[in-house]
């Protein structure tokens, strides 16, 4: 960038109070320069709403996380109580970080998003969110720019900003949660598709699965694997006494989710191992097709089901490496996210920071 | 664009002899302007090499086709005789169009391409082309810029330049020829993937197919449908007397290809109809998954197998509309290309014209 462009940009950002002078630079002879930095009071809020949890973080202008919170919450309750919880969290975290008003709020929701209107559209598992004005509600609440996107897209952005994908131009982020979705980065930018529903891979058909899906079709990937399918299958295995261990865990905890299945896998329970292996293979078969189509340089796996660990990863890798063409896989790492639950909130903060700073998106 | 930018660009293009003054503009008072146009002697050559044919065209600077030729040719012969034929065609067409030297040559080959080196890489059906310096051979021959790409990518470019996809920002071009491939346009630009092999959908696995593919795997889309698979299945049907009509056509023509199957379909032969319907359904099932993943605004079908007409199109459409989520298909046209065999050569000319004119690619 030329000195003139830098000067103009700094002027614009200073006028917006996003950048401030923090003192004179060390003298190097000639006219003394001034050091500028991102303004100390800039605060971005990142919110990531999953099917069963709401996470929020407050970051400074450079997207360092200053405060973070994650709470269990069933998104199927509908938008009002869930957003109320997210706003409470955000206000609490803002106060903790020393300000009462955010510079911008980024939000991820577990649904396709009409990006121009800032509303979720046709979310198969959460019909009550369809068309709800999430962006406008939050904008009124916080009186600042708000950007809404699919939570899997903000998780992909988080990986690109702070995770293993920081140098990847073309990569897939696969969220294995209650459902299964995919964030797509092409030529360094999020790719959202024509209607904002690109990456909706949970409803791709897989061989040998006749389960009926929440979307009404049969054979969808999500109907045979994912947090919801795993809970359903674990319950059947516990009740039919096919897995005495899952039966004990159900007795102990009163519920069976991916957490209990993970515990049973770690204890070597054959039924649980088989469920995770079958599911991982199906995820891998779908991803193998997408590798042939998209030829990514990296696949990152995230979401709650990654707690199933190496058994799951090994099956997914095996199916992809076995089924895709050598040219597309010879340099293709397939790895777990190392950002944990903070991936989504960092990505959400990143999303709104691009809008606030006026970067091209 | 500002007047200054236009002036600078025109100066650059004039210096390269790509643009010329063609006379004074009509007087509108004040200083008289000069009309400029693309130079009359600009000629682009577009070459599209398929598995069984070589097409070439010469266009003017505005990419209007001045001369076109298509010849049958088996690409498996290896690069030397096939390129020799393409160069002969090109020289003949150039002379016909009044020049002896092209301004640029664009070439599509039926293989993934290492775009920076201008060579085909790991082409499963034509191993003799692996790493052959196609770009450099043609550059030496014609002494001008040469750009090489996968033929399915140049066909997609052709649709975007002159076909039904001229206003589509995110679309898929599906080539149904001897094999099956896909050109991907994302945000208005070709997407080639990490290794240049994006769109290699012929080796995606489909349900219920156990055929062994040329790539060594089983269950690939291409192993169960495409020109090669159709010819194989038609021969079996003819010899086993399951289709007396195919038997007669084999007797008459000495060979069975998609052309004879198309004739049998038109005559209502039940075996041929079933083969085309089964194949179309499998293509549609693979595309349904890609629609969920990519959320395109348009799918264009091209290649020789489109001669199978409405029977094929109806099956492909049915499978996609049945299997993809409503949000992704409610505004999704699925249509046959109307460029015919000229799609590839126009796209190839377009590809090199971008390089020559210095447009961003």
């Amino acid at each position: 960038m030329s000195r003139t462009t830098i000067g103009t940009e700094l002027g614009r950002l200073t006028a917006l109070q996003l950048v401030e002078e923090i003192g004179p630079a060390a003298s190097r002879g000639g006219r003394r320069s001034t050091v500028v930095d991102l303004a100390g009071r800039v605060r971005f809020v990142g919110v990531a709403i999953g099917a069963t949890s709401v996470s929020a973080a407050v970051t400074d202008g450079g997207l360092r996380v200053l405060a973070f919170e994650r709470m269990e919450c069933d998104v199927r309750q509908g938008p009002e109580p869930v957003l109320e919880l997210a706003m409470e969290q955000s206000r609490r975290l803002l106060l903790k970080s020393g300000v009462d008003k955010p510079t911008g709020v980024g939000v991820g929701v577990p649904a396709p998003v009409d990006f121009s209107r800032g509303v979720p559209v046709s979310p198969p598992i959460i019909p009550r969110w369809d068309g709800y004005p999430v962006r406008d509600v939050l904008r009124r609440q916080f009186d600042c720019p708000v950007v809404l996107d699919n939570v899997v897209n903000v998780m992909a952005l988080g990986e690109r900003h702070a995770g293993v994908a920081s140098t990847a131009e073309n990569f897939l982020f696969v969220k294995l949660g209650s459902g299964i979705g995919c964030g797509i980065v092409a030529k360094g930018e999020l790719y959202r598709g024509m209607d904002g529903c690109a990456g909706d891979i949970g409803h791709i058909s897989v061989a040998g699965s006749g389960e009926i899906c929440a979307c009404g079709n049969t054979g969808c990937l999500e109907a045979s694997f994912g947090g919801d399918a795993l809970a359903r299958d674990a319950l059947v295995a516990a009740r039919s006494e096919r897995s005495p261990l899952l039966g004990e865990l159900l007795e102990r905890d009163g519920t069976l989710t991916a957490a209990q299945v993970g515990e049973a896998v770690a204890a070597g329970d054959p039924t649980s191992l088989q469920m995770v292996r079958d599911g991982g293979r199906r995820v891998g078969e779908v991803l193998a097709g997408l590798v042939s189509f998209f030829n990514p340089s990296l696949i990152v796996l995230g979401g709650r089901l990654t707690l199933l660990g190496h058994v799951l990863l090994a099956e997914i890798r095996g199916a992809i490496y076995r089924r895709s063409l050598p040219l597309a896989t010879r340099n293709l790492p397939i790895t777990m996210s190392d950002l944990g639950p903070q991936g989504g909130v960092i990505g959400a903060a990143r999303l709104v920071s691009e809008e606030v700073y006026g970067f091209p998106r």
Side-chain angles (χ1 to χ4, degrees), chain A:
Chain A
M1 262 197 244
S2 70
R3 287 186 73 93
T4 321
T5 309
I6 293 173
T8 311
E9 269 302 286
L10 283 179
R12 183 178 69 80
L13 293 169
T14 307
L16 292 167
Q17 298 186 301
L18 297 169
V19 152
E20 61 195 6
E21 300 188 350
I22 59 167
S27 174
R28 295 186 297 181
R31 196 157 68 95
R32 205 145 190 190
S33 308
T34 307
V35 174
V36 296
D37 200 355
L38 294 167
R41 290 185 62 80
V42 171
R43 292 290 181 273
F44 294 116
V45 170
V47 175
I49 302 174
T52 60
S53 69
V54 176
S55 303
V58 169
T59 76
D60 65 11
L63 302 185
R64 276 171 295 266
V65 174
L66 304 175
F68 172 75
E69 242 185 46
R70 177 188 173 92
M71 298 180 79
E72 298 295 307
C73 168
D74 184 355
V75 72
R76 289 178 179 84
Q77 293 174 75
E80 289 89 353
V82 175
L83 290 179
E84 194 45 60
L85 176 66
M87 291 189 286
E88 260 174 45
Q89 280 184 315
S90 302
R91 279 191 296 262
R92 199 157 48 228
L93 296 170
L94 281 166
L95 287 179
K96 230 191 229 181
S97 80
V99 303
D100 53 7
K101 188 174 166 314
T103 315
V105 177
V107 188
V109 292
V113 163
D114 180 331
F115 205 69
S116 56
R117 291 192 300 142
V119 302
V121 277
S122 306
I125 59 163
I126 49 169
R128 292 167 65 187
W129 287 71
D130 191 16
Y132 189 84
V134 178
R135 185 186 61 191
D136 294 348
V137 166
L138 291 170
R139 197 189 270 162
R140 261 199 306 280
Q141 177 66 219
F142 289 112
D143 188 27
C144 71
V146 176
V147 184
L148 185 72
D149 205 341
N150 191 327
V151 71
V152 75
N153 287 342
V154 303
M155 290 172 91
L157 271 187
E159 294 299 328
R160 179 134 168 95
H161 181 82
V164 288
S166 59
T167 60
E169 289 295 296
N170 306 307
F171 76 95
L172 302 181
F173 174 83
V174 180
K175 177 174 191 268
L176 304 166
S178 298
I180 297 178
C182 179
I184 305 168
V185 171
K187 298 186 183 177
E189 285 184 7
L190 269 183
Y191 174 81
R192 296 185 175 90
M194 173 68 180
D195 307 284
C197 65
D200 208 344
I201 66 171
H203 303 280
I204 293 181
S205 174
V206 283
S209 159
E211 302 283 356
I212 293 175
C213 183
C215 77
N217 246 318
T218 53
C220 295
L221 175 60
E222 228 172 78
S224 71
F225 193 62
D228 289 348
L230 202 56
R232 174 200 67 203
D233 293 347
L235 208 59
V236 171
R239 291 201 172 136
S240 68
E241 293 175 19
R242 216 161 20 92
S243 166
L245 179 54
L246 286 175
E248 285 166 33
L249 294 173
L250 174 60
E251 185 96 347
R252 187 193 72 190
D253 299 342
T255 180
L256 281 180
T257 66
Q260 284 80 17
V261 175
E263 202 176 327
V265 164
D269 177 54
T271 305
S272 300
L273 275 165
Q274 198 56 48
M275 289 189 322
V276 173
R277 286 201 183 116
D278 286 348
R281 196 189 59 246
R282 284 179 175 147
V283 172
E285 282 166 4
V286 166
L287 291 180
L290 300 179
V291 165
S292 293
F293 175 75
F294 190 69
N295 184 204
S297 64
L298 171 69
I299 294 179
V300 184
L301 306 171
R304 200 161 37 92
L305 259 57
T306 52
L307 68 80
L308 297 168
H310 188 73
V311 174
L312 179 64
L313 179 61
E315 279 298 327
I316 293 175
R317 283 179 170 162
I320 295 175
Y321 291 136
R322 200 161 50 235
R323 272 297 336 173
S324 308
L325 288 181
L327 179 59
T329 52
R330 61 181 177 189
N331 296 316
L332 177 67
I334 301 164
T335 181
M336 299 280 202
S337 165
D338 55 9
L339 293 179
Q342 293 205 357
V345 293
I346 292 173
R350 167 79 199 203
L351 183 68
V352 73
S353 77
E354 291 177 0
E355 168 110 349
V356 166
Y357 291 137
F359 295 162
R361 204 176 30 231

